[in-house]
Amino acid sequence: MTTQQILAFAVIAAMMAVFIWDRFRYDVVACCALVLAVTVGVVPFDKAFSGFSDDIVIIVGSALIVSAGVARSGIVDTAIKKFFPNLNALHTQMALLMIVVALLSAFIKNIGALAIMMPVAFQFAKKSGVSPSKYLMPMAFSALLGGLMTQIGTSPNIVVSRIREELTGQSFTMFDFTPMGVILCVVGITFLLFFHWLVPSRTKQTHSLEEAVEISNYTSEVTITPQSTVLEKALGELLKLGDGEVIANAVLRGHARMAPFPDLKLRENDIVLLEGPSKALDRIVSGAKLQLSGKPLMENGKDQADVISIEAIISQESPLKGLSAKELALSYTRGVNLLAISRHGERVKERLSTLTLAAGDVIVLQGSRKNMPGIMQDFSLFPLAQREVLLGTRRRAVIPLIILALAMAATAVGLAPVPVAFFAAALGMVVFRAIPLTDFYKSVDGPILVMLAALIPVSDSLRTSGGSELIAGWLGQAAAMLPAWGALGLILITAMAVTPFLNNAATVLVMGPIAASFATNLGFKPEAFLMAVAIGAGCDFLTPVGHQCNTLVFGPGGYKFSDYPRLGLPLSFLIILVSIPALLWIWPVG
């Protein structure tokens, strides 16, 4: 073993130990590992920051933006309410998410399938009152398992097909992987469904100021229109759309004020005073097609295109203090609508137009993006954590799905590589206003991308120093003394162990020829060994960095590095135990 190889192994071992120790944040650990690797010479100076231009960083960052665009569209809420209105049990929710992700991953890029379903997981978590971490890691592992079912499901399957063609003149076909993939998928999802308790309940590790100042008791008034989906239905049906987070303070019908009983039938032009978090209010307004207070905002006789809603605090110097929205006539004089109000320690039971505003009130204003800064300054309002809210903003429900579908189609038919297609999809979310530019950058999880970019050259040092070839040599010596099932298991375990430190496609490129030569030297057919390499490279359940699906859920799930082997290690053992006899049965080596 050369000095370079010893240093490369030492740096990676030290980095993994600190990750598992979990005393420092993951991006700091990764950056320190990069600096150490450069210092000892296993990563050249000119390659130190090569990770920042790596495809994986682009794919993960773009997928986060695409997922945020799908979530913002509101189509996720609509689908849940329509197809699974009573899906409340954790096990049934998890089963649905994992099965859908696995099936989608068989035919589209698994990170894309995961990005589509992540917003659904957050909605289920909110509905069930459990941490999203309970859903996200099992979903990521299901995406990896689903990719095993077809040739195009994951990169290792494509690469191993090419290796077989070079060796035997015949490639694996599209569905040669399906028997093994289905077996492993069923076994894996069953395990995840019954052993998801191994995943701890986590909260997001990097909280924003916006999350710290979340307002939970906004009051807003909505009007039942002829287009409303709850017209002539009970008030309780309307409140169901808020998943228990919204209550009705009153129903105003003409000059009458009616008690908000759940069985009260809603009629056209009824005004309902609702109280709850802004996101839950938005789900009700968009899901039931209700009309918020205020008037349509027009510009040159047309609807204003760039309308936003902002939370703001009324200061002591504000001219709004002591006046009502009706007296101010904000809609007519300044082109803004008052959509909601929150008053600390007090439940608002008046109509927003007649309520006298006071210093310290938190209000939601709707208006043009270009005019809003001037209005905030003129009325001495303080924006709450510099954030916008969804309530009262227009969403293009179908556009995010169309953008994502086009990106998937482009990669499926070979028109564009995955990083280019996903980057274009993320850009399309902004160009077609599916997500505001401000949310675009908030959706990118900076610490995750920095960690990835720092780890890529560190992990690659195993290859550049010759460490991977050294492992291959040791493997060849050990396998020569083993029976068929033992050699097959050794190939599978080694591929599974190496994948966290090499790109999964690179693992196949390194291990594939080794596996084929093993089979030839031992007098066996190579197909089972090549399949073992593909399975091992595609089943990286031990770290958040070995596959982009694991990385994608790392930040949103609030996971620690050590959380992955808690669920992933027993799953890996199960995959090994099932794979070896199944491979020998489906692909006989004799």
Side-chain angles (χ1 to χ4, degrees), residues 441-520:
Y441 290 105
K442 290 177 185 176
S443 302
V444 179
D445 197 329
I448 290 293
L449 300 188
V450 169
M451 178 190 71
L452 270 180
L455 285 182
I456 287 168
V458 175
S459 298
D460 196 46
S461 67
L462 199 64
R463 179 188 60 82
T464 56
S465 66
S468 57
E469 286 79 4
L470 187 66
I471 294 172
W474 293 339
L475 194 62
Q477 296 173 9
M481 309 296 295
L482 296 174
W485 64 266
L488 196 61
L490 184 62
I491 289 290
L492 176 60
I493 293 169
T494 304
M496 203 175 274
V498 170
T499 300
F501 310 105
L502 292 177
N503 177 279
N504 52 12
T507 298
V508 177
L509 288 172
V510 172
M511 295 294 301
I514 295 171
S517 66
F518 283 166
T520 302

Side-chain angles (χ1 to χ4, degrees), residues 32-236:
C32 290
L34 175 60
V35 171
L36 178 61
V38 172
T39 302
V40 300
V42 296
V43 173
F45 290 114
D46 60 339
K47 299 293 184 182
F49 304 113
S50 59
F52 286 90
S53 62
D54 193 275
D55 288 352
I56 294 177
V57 176
I58 302 300
I59 291 170
V60 171
S62 299
L64 286 168
I65 294 167
V66 170
S67 180
V70 173
R72 184 183 174 88
S73 70
I75 200 165
V76 172
D77 302 304
T78 303
I80 291 174
K81 299 294 188 303
K82 183 175 181 179
F83 298 108
F84 309 103
N86 300 312
L87 198 63
N88 297 316
L90 177 63
H91 279 84
T92 54
Q93 291 173 341
M94 288 191 65
L96 172 70
L97 290 171
M98 290 191 292
I99 291 170
V100 172
V101 166
L103 291 175
L104 288 174
S105 297
F107 300 100
I108 64 177
K109 190 68 177 175
N110 45 22
I111 193 170
L114 186 58
I116 291 172
M117 297 304 293
M118 276 178 62
V120 184
F122 281 106
Q123 288 300 323
F124 279 162
K126 191 82 170 179
K127 190 174 183 179
S128 302
V130 299
S131 170
S133 64
K134 288 292 185 181
Y135 298 87
L136 295 180
M137 189 185 294
M139 286 172 62
F141 290 174
S142 297
L144 299 183
L145 292 168
L148 301 177
M149 291 194 288
T150 63
Q151 184 186 36
I152 63 171
T154 186
S155 300
N157 289 1
I158 298 173
V159 177
V160 84
S161 297
R162 190 181 73 190
I163 293 175
R164 187 199 185 198
E165 185 176 18
E166 292 172 352
L167 294 173
T168 67
Q170 182 180 3
S171 172
F172 287 118
T173 63
M174 177 73 168
F175 297 105
D176 279 345
F177 298 88
T178 303
M180 275 302 304
V182 169
I183 291 171
L184 295 180
C185 207
V186 170
V187 170
I189 289 178
T190 303
F191 169 84
L192 293 169
L193 191 59
F194 288 100
F195 289 89
H196 66 87
W197 52 267
L198 291 171
V199 183
S201 292
R202 299 292 190 197
T203 56
K204 192 174 180 181
Q205 295 184 36
T206 52
H207 292 286
S208 64
L209 181 59
E210 289 89 338
E211 294 167 322
V213 294
E214 184 70 37
I215 302 296
S216 60
N217 64 333
Y218 274 118
T219 297
S220 186
E221 65 177 60
V222 296
T223 303
I224 308 298
T225 69
Q227 291 75 36
S228 299
T229 59
V230 292
L231 183 63
E232 300 298 329
K233 292 183 179 179
L235 176 61

Side-chain angles (χ1 to χ4, degrees), residues 411-428:
T411 59
V413 301
L415 289 177
V418 173
V420 174
F422 267 79
F423 183 81
L427 184 61

